[in-house]
Amino acid sequence: MSSFSLPPIHDNPDGGWGPSSSNIPEQFKFKDIPYAPFSKSDKLGRFADWNDPMSDSRQAATGASATRDARGVSSRSRRDGAQAFGSGTASAFAYFHVDDESSFSLVDNKAAPPRRGNAFSRGRSTGRGSSFVNRGNQRPRGGFTNGRGGFQRGGRKGWRDWDKGNRTRESSVTISPQWSMLEEIEFHRLTKLKLDVDEAEDIDTYGRIFAYDKTYDRITTKTEKPLQPSDRIKYNTTTSDDPVIQQLATKDTATVYTTDVILSVLMCAPRSVYPWDIVIVREGNHLFLDKRDGGPFDTVTVNENASDPPQDPAPPNPNNPSEKSTQEAPSINSATSLSLEATYINQNFGFQAVVESTAVNFAHPNPFYGPEETDPLASCGYRYRVFDLSVTEDEDIKLCVRTEVDAFLPGPGNPQDGHGLATIRALNEFDPRAPGAGGAQDWRSKLDSQRGAVVATEMKNNSCKLAKWTVQSILAGADLMKIGYISRVNPKDNSRHVILSTASMRPTDFAAQLNVSLANGWGIVRTITDLCMKMPEGKYVLIKDPNKSVIRLYSVPMTAFTTEEEEGETFEADEHESAA
C-alpha cells in the first residue's frame, strides 16, 4: 500500500497571504509559460472572427487577401485602427499549419450573383459625373455625390467617429493648487431636481426702452436688409457692482442676489457643453452670484450643442519652440472668432431693430450711466424682481434678480400705448460647409420655404443658448421674444452681414418646444443655494468641467479674481522672466 507524505510548507516571512516569492519551489515557477498581453477594458465581440485577416497569421503566410463582408467592405478597413490590446504582438499560442492550408481549395459551381456597383461607390461619384458638379439648383452641402450627380446631405452619420482625435477644452478659469474642492455634482443628478416657484414680485424698474420696429417682421430672404453697426452703450455689470442691488442688500430684501444672465446659465447647466464659472460670495446671510470680467458670460456661443462643434486651433507645445513659428492664424470659423462675431451681431441687431423716436422711461434712469458719458444709451430696461424659493412656511429664502428687456411693442394707434415688453436676440449663419456647421441648412434658400427645418436644426445645435435666452425672457416677464436670422454677405467675410428674417414667439411656448423645465432650473438654484449657505463666509467659485458633464464647487481666497491679485501675478511673472 502506497504512503502519502505532505510536502514541506513554507510560511511567508512577511506575514502576508500566499507563499513568499523566495520560497516557491522550482516546479511551480512560471518561467517557461508564455505571456499574452490583455486589457480589462477589452470587450468580447465574437468568439471567433473568421473574416479578420489580422487574427490568423496563416493567411499572411499564404498570401490570402482580406475577405469582404456582404456590403463589399474590407474587414481590414472596417476596423482599421481599433485593434485589441496587445494584438500587434506575436501570439505564442497560435497554431501554424501552412502546408495543409496551401494545398486546400474550395470549388463552387454556383453562378455568382451580379454585382450592382463598385464596393467603394457608396456616397461617392462614379464615372458619370464629377464629385462636385451640381445639375440642379441645390448647392452641395458637405458629404459626397452619388452616381447621378445628386447630393447626399451630411454624408454618413457617425462614420469613423471613433477615429476622430479626442478634443480637449481648457477650463474657463485656471484652477489654483491652493483651492480646495468642496463638492462635485454630475449633470444627471441635476436633471432630477424640481422646485415650483410662484410668480415674481416687482421691486423697481430702471432705464429707458424704445419701440420695436415692426418693419423687421416683414423682412424675407428676397428683401434682406443690411446690418448696420451702431455706437450705443449697453452695460453688463456684475451683481456686486450694481448700486441698486447694494441698496436692496442693505434693506435685507432677499437672500440671494444675481442677474438674469448668470441665473439662466445655472438653470440651464445640464445643457451646457462649453466651460463656465460663477463666482459666489457669501457675506453674512447674503449670497451674491457674480461673473468675471472677460469671462464666458460676456460672449455668445455658436453651435455649442452640435455633434461636431467649432474648434479653436491647438495651442503650440511649450516644450517645442519650433512649433510657435508654424502656428496658423485663427480662422474666421473657429470657436472664438464665431463667438465674438455672434456677440457683435446680437448687440447691433438689438440696436437697429428699434425706433429711437418713440421711447418709454421706466421709474428711474439707468443706474450705470454717468454724467461723463457722451455716447447715447441703447434701448435697455432693468426690472428688479424677487422670487420666493422657500419650500416650507418657516423658511424665508428669496432671490433678487436683475432682469433686462430690450424694447416694447407699440400699439396700433398711439405707439406709446404698448402691448407688452420684448427681448431681442439674433441667430447667425456663418458657412454651411465649414467644419462645425452642424448640418445647417442654407438659410437663403430654405428660410422662407422650410423654416421649420431651419428652426429644428438651430434648436439642436444651439439648445443651450436658446434655452438661456428663453429663461431670461421668462425671468424678465417679457411677452415676446424677437429672434433675427442674420447671415454673412459672403461666407468668407465675417465683417458684413444681412438680416434675412425675424421670428416672434412667446417665451413660455418656446420653452415647451425646447423642453425647458423651469421647475428643474429652480431646483438647481435652490440646491446650489443650500450648498453655499452651509459653508462659512468667504468666496467660492462654481466651475463647469471643460470636458465632462460635471460642476465643481471650490473654496478660493477672498483676493481671487480681483485687480490686486492680477497685478501681483503679473509682477511675479515679470520677476521670473527677469531672473531667467
Side-chain angles (χ1 to χ4, degrees):
M1 185 175 179
S2 62
S3 62
F4 175 75
S5 61
L6 291 173
I9 299 176
H10 302 278
D11 294 333
N12 193 334
D14 301 330
W17 289 96
S20 175
S21 59
S22 60
N23 296 328
I24 297 179
E26 288 294 330
Q27 62 269 26
F28 294 129
K29 289 189 176 180
F30 310 106
K31 60 180 180 178
D32 297 327
I33 298 179
Y35 170 73
F38 71 98
S39 174
K40 292 182 179 180
S41 61
D42 283 345
K43 294 180 174 60
L44 183 61
R46 55 179 65 86
F47 290 101
D49 188 3
W50 308 110
N51 296 325
D52 189 3
M54 300 301 295
S55 64
D56 194 355
S57 58
R58 291 173 293 183
Q59 294 185 11
T62 58
S65 61
T67 58
R68 299 180 181 273
D69 57 10
R71 296 183 300 173
V73 181
S74 170
S75 60
R76 183 191 299 271
S77 64
R78 183 177 68 248
R79 294 293 296 167
D80 185 19
Q83 297 90 356
F85 184 86
S87 61
T89 61
S91 176
F93 304 100
Y95 173 74
F96 302 96
H97 208 165
V98 179
D99 296 337
D100 289 347
E101 291 293 334
S102 60
S103 62
F104 176 77
S105 62
L106 177 65
V107 179
D108 188 5
N109 296 326
K110 294 181 181 180
R115 302 182 66 178
R116 294 189 176 181
N118 193 351
F120 294 96
S121 63
R122 289 175 58 88
R124 300 180 185 236
S125 62
T126 59
R128 285 205 166 195
S130 65
S131 59
F132 291 98
V133 174
N134 188 5
R135 297 188 181 182
N137 294 326
Q138 185 179 1
R139 295 194 304 173
R141 310 192 56 78
F144 302 99
T145 62
N146 56 22
R148 297 183 181 177
F151 290 89
Q152 289 185 351
R153 194 167 69 192
R156 294 180 62 178
K157 299 296 183 183
W159 175 244
R160 295 181 70 90
D161 284 345
W162 48 267
D163 199 24
K164 294 179 181 178
N166 293 327
R167 299 182 177 93
T168 57
R169 302 183 182 91
E170 297 294 333
S171 178
S172 59
V173 61
T174 304
I175 300 176
S176 174
Q178 287 78 23
W179 298 359
S180 59
M181 189 180 70
L182 305 176
E183 192 72 26
E184 180 178 286
I185 307 176
E186 297 83 3
F187 279 0
H188 68 84
R189 293 168 57 191
L190 295 178
T191 56
K192 300 177 182 178
L193 302 174
K194 184 178 180 181
L195 177 64
D196 294 324
V197 176
D198 297 333
E199 289 293 327
E201 175 189 357
D202 292 333
I203 299 299
D204 219 337
T205 57
Y206 292 78
R208 185 188 189 194
I209 56 176
F210 302 132
Y212 173 73
D213 191 351
K214 290 186 175 181
T215 59
Y216 285 83
D217 291 338
R218 298 188 289 270
I219 295 179
T220 63
T221 55
K222 297 180 180 179
T223 61
E224 60 186 30
K225 183 176 290 188
L227 181 68
Q228 302 291 342
S230 303
D231 291 332
R232 299 291 184 270
I233 297 178
K234 187 174 183 179
Y235 296 93
N236 189 17
T237 309
T238 187
T239 308
S240 300
D241 296 338
D242 190 335
V244 179
I245 288 183
Q246 293 176 1
Q247 295 176 6
L248 296 175
T250 57
K251 300 177 183 178
D252 202 12
T253 306
T255 306
V256 185
Y257 299 88
T258 183
T259 64
D260 57 348
V261 176
I262 301 173
L263 189 61
S264 63
V265 171
L266 191 58
M267 296 177 71
C268 302
R271 294 174 180 255
S272 60
V273 177
Y274 290 161
W276 48 263
D277 58 275
I278 298 176
V279 181
I280 304 174
V281 180
R282 182 183 176 186
E283 296 180 359
N285 198 32
H286 295 161
L287 210 63
F288 298 90
L289 306 184
D290 285 309
K291 69 177 185 66
R292 294 183 299 106
D293 291 337
F297 293 96
D298 296 333
T299 55
V300 180
T301 61
V302 177
N303 288 2
E304 177 179 356
N305 300 97
S307 57
D308 188 17
Q311 300 291 328
D312 284 325
N317 186 0
N319 298 325
N320 189 2
S322 62
E323 289 188 3
K324 297 182 179 181
S325 59
T326 60
Q327 183 72 11
E328 298 179 358
S331 169
I332 62 173
N333 296 325
S334 64
T336 303
S337 301
L338 289 174
S339 180
L340 295 175
E341 180 183 357
T343 306
Y344 165 83
I345 289 173
N346 266 273
Q347 291 181 351
N348 287 281
F349 179 68
F351 300 160
Q352 184 175 345
V354 293
V355 181
E356 297 187 355
S357 59
T358 305
V360 171
N361 294 318
F362 280 179
H364 304 279
N366 193 307
F368 312 110
Y369 191 74
E372 67 278 359
E373 299 288 350
T374 57
D375 293 332
L377 273 171
S379 175
C380 185
Y382 302 101
R383 304 182 71 190
Y384 292 84
R385 316 184 80 196
V386 171
F387 293 87
D388 191 358
L389 304 183
S390 303
V391 179
T392 62
E393 295 181 356
D394 298 335
E395 291 182 335
D396 186 17
I397 299 179
K398 295 182 179 181
L399 181 142
C400 178
V401 56
R402 184 191 74 210
T403 63
E404 297 181 12
V405 291
D406 299 311
F408 73 93
L409 305 174
N414 185 6
Q416 293 192 356
D417 295 336
H419 291 281
L421 302 173
T423 57
I424 302 176
R425 302 290 188 267
L427 292 170
N428 62 300
E429 178 192 36
F430 50 103
D431 188 355
R433 291 167 292 183
Q441 309 272 346
D442 182 15
W443 286 6
R444 284 179 171 81
S445 61
K446 301 293 183 181
L447 197 55
D448 292 339
S449 59
Q450 300 180 13
R451 181 182 291 265
V454 175
V455 174
T457 304
E458 292 301 316
M459 290 171 62
K460 176 179 69 73
N461 294 337
N462 296 287
S463 172
C464 183
K465 177 171 68 175
L466 291 174
K468 289 188 292 186
W469 289 350
T470 306
V471 169
Q472 292 170 17
S473 301
I474 295 176
L475 292 175
D479 299 278
L480 280 181
M481 285 179 61
K482 299 288 185 178
I483 298 182
Y485 293 88
I486 300 176
S487 177
R488 295 176 180 174
V489 175
N490 187 339
K492 305 299 181 183
D493 184 9
N494 64 343
S495 60
R496 295 183 301 138
H497 303 84
V498 291
I499 305 170
L500 301 179
S501 180
T502 305
S504 301
M505 53 198 67
R506 296 188 178 277
T508 52
D509 297 341
F510 196 48
Q513 295 180 24
L514 289 168
N515 198 21
V516 174
S517 174
L518 287 179
N520 174 244
W522 288 122
I524 296 173
V525 174
R526 177 60 195 266
T527 301
I528 300 300
T529 300
D530 293 342
L531 193 62
C532 295
M533 293 303 290
K534 294 178 182 178
M535 305 296 175
E537 293 189 27
K539 181 177 286 189
Y540 307 90
V541 58
L542 187 68
I543 299 178
K544 156 71 171 66
D545 189 278
N547 302 300
K548 298 179 182 178
S549 299
V550 173
I551 57 175
R552 298 184 179 93
L553 182 66
Y554 291 87
S555 174
V556 300
M558 289 298 295
T559 57
F561 313 118
T562 58
T563 308
E564 293 80 4
E565 185 193 43
E566 294 174 358
E567 291 177 353
E569 290 178 353
T570 305
F571 179 73
E572 291 176 1
D574 293 342
E575 282 187 346
H576 180 72
E577 291 179 359
S578 61

